[in-house]
Amino acid sequence: MSKRNILVLATGNRNKYEEIVKIMSLSEWDVKFLKDFPNISTPEETGTTYEENALIKAKFCSELLKFPSLSDDSGLEVDALEGRPGVYSSSYGGVEGDSERNIHRLLKDLEGIPWHKRTARFICCAMFVLPDGFFHCEKGIVEGHIAVEPYGDNGFGYDPVFVPLGYENTYAELLQEEKNKISHRALAFQKMAEFLKEFDYENCSIR
Ligand code: ITT
């Protein structure tokens, strides 16, 4: 396999990695997980938007490893909380990446708020970056509601409390394949897969 066929997913989150690989079915790429490279972690996310943070992660990775890179920055925006936790979703409960705490705080903040006011959306920004600095972004948004308590064991993060619009179940109650068809990540990375199909790696342009 030649060097340019390697694509590194610039995420430290294995759940995201597994979802993205399944969504994209990247047959012509040798997809690597950042954790396959020893001693490399994701950089600090100092941006204030999903796009900025996604670019920071993918750029860091492609510059360092000299491979094309993909990243995902995502978050949950709750209307009753004026859009919080948003880009700070992974540390909302006070401890980075602690989903139980994040959910606990979210449900506490929404205590007493009726269903029709528990509207929220999951947003995903998918970013593709080449070592020369070229980048391309695709976005996916799924509207929904925040459940009153957690339901389901599948998925990760806020999945047990997010009910996508048109469904009666949380993301965590859906089968993995179902979530990977309709999620914010699915929408963003399906579009990215289409983009990459048309991408001319040799000349770095759309065919
Ligand atoms: P990387 O930055 O290493 O990719 P991360 O988990 O820190 O991994 P983000 O900075 O994008 O990712 O944080 C997004 C957070 O939003 C994530 O930690 C989850 O808590 C939540 N989240 C994103 N997508 C989700 C999904 O599909 N289901 C549930 N929660 C999700």
Side-chain angles (χ1 to χ4, degrees):
M1 172 121 352
S2 72
K3 212 175 169 187
R4 72 188 151 81
N5 286 334
I6 291 177
L7 180 59
V8 185
L9 292 188
T11 178
N13 182 329
R14 182 168 286 281
N15 294 93
K16 276 187 183 180
Y17 167 74
E18 284 170 1
E19 286 190 6
I20 292 165
V21 168
K22 283 188 184 122
I23 292 163
M24 292 190 67
S25 319
L26 288 161
S27 52
E28 59 186 278
W29 292 95
D30 177 10
V31 184
K32 303 279 190 201
F33 184 32
L34 192 62
K35 294 213 163 162
D36 292 338
F37 297 86
N39 308 323
I40 297 180
S41 49
T42 46
E44 204 187 333
E45 296 179 36
T46 51
T48 54
T49 63
Y50 303 105
E51 287 85 352
E52 281 172 10
N53 283 334
L55 193 56
I56 288 170
K57 290 185 266 193
K59 214 163 171 247
F60 170 85
C61 187
S62 71
E63 277 174 4
L64 196 70
L65 298 170
K66 307 281 183 267
F67 289 121
S69 177
L70 262 187
S71 67
D72 165 318
D73 200 70
S74 37
L76 181 63
E77 298 188 350
V78 180
D79 291 323
L81 303 176
E82 293 163 346
R84 289 189 304 278
V87 289
Y88 307 106
S89 292
S90 65
S91 55
Y92 194 53
V95 178
E96 174 72 32
D98 188 329
S99 302
E100 218 169 293
R101 281 176 192 254
N102 290 341
I103 288 177
H104 182 77
R105 171 158 182 211
L106 181 65
L107 294 183
K108 205 161 185 321
D109 287 353
L110 292 177
E111 229 164 48
I113 295 184
W115 178 254
H116 71 279
K117 288 191 179 161
R118 300 174 77 93
T119 50
R121 66 205 50 77
F122 250 127
I123 298 183
C124 174
C125 171
M127 189 70 74
F128 171 72
V129 173
L130 291 175
D132 68 4
F134 172 90
F135 66 90
H136 178 80
C137 166
E138 296 285 359
K139 226 164 168 179
I141 303 177
V142 170
E143 301 285 339
H145 288 82
I146 303 299
V148 175
E149 55 183 284
Y151 296 99
D153 300 315
N154 299 331
F156 70 100
Y158 296 90
D159 280 351
V161 292
F162 184 76
V163 181
L165 209 60
Y167 287 75
E168 287 181 0
N169 299 103
T170 65
Y171 266 176
E173 292 177 297
L174 300 180
L175 294 173
Q176 200 181 53
E177 306 85 77
E178 287 179 285
K179 183 187 170 194
N180 285 341
K181 275 189 201 144
I182 62 138
S183 77
H184 51 302
R185 183 159 299 104
L187 298 180
F189 280 90
Q190 281 159 3
K191 285 189 260 179
M192 186 59 85
E194 286 306 307
F195 169 80
L196 288 177
K197 259 190 222 160
E198 298 301 316
F199 191 74
D200 182 345
Y201 319 114
E202 297 283 2
N203 298 307
C204 295
S205 63
I206 299 289
R207 277 181 195 127

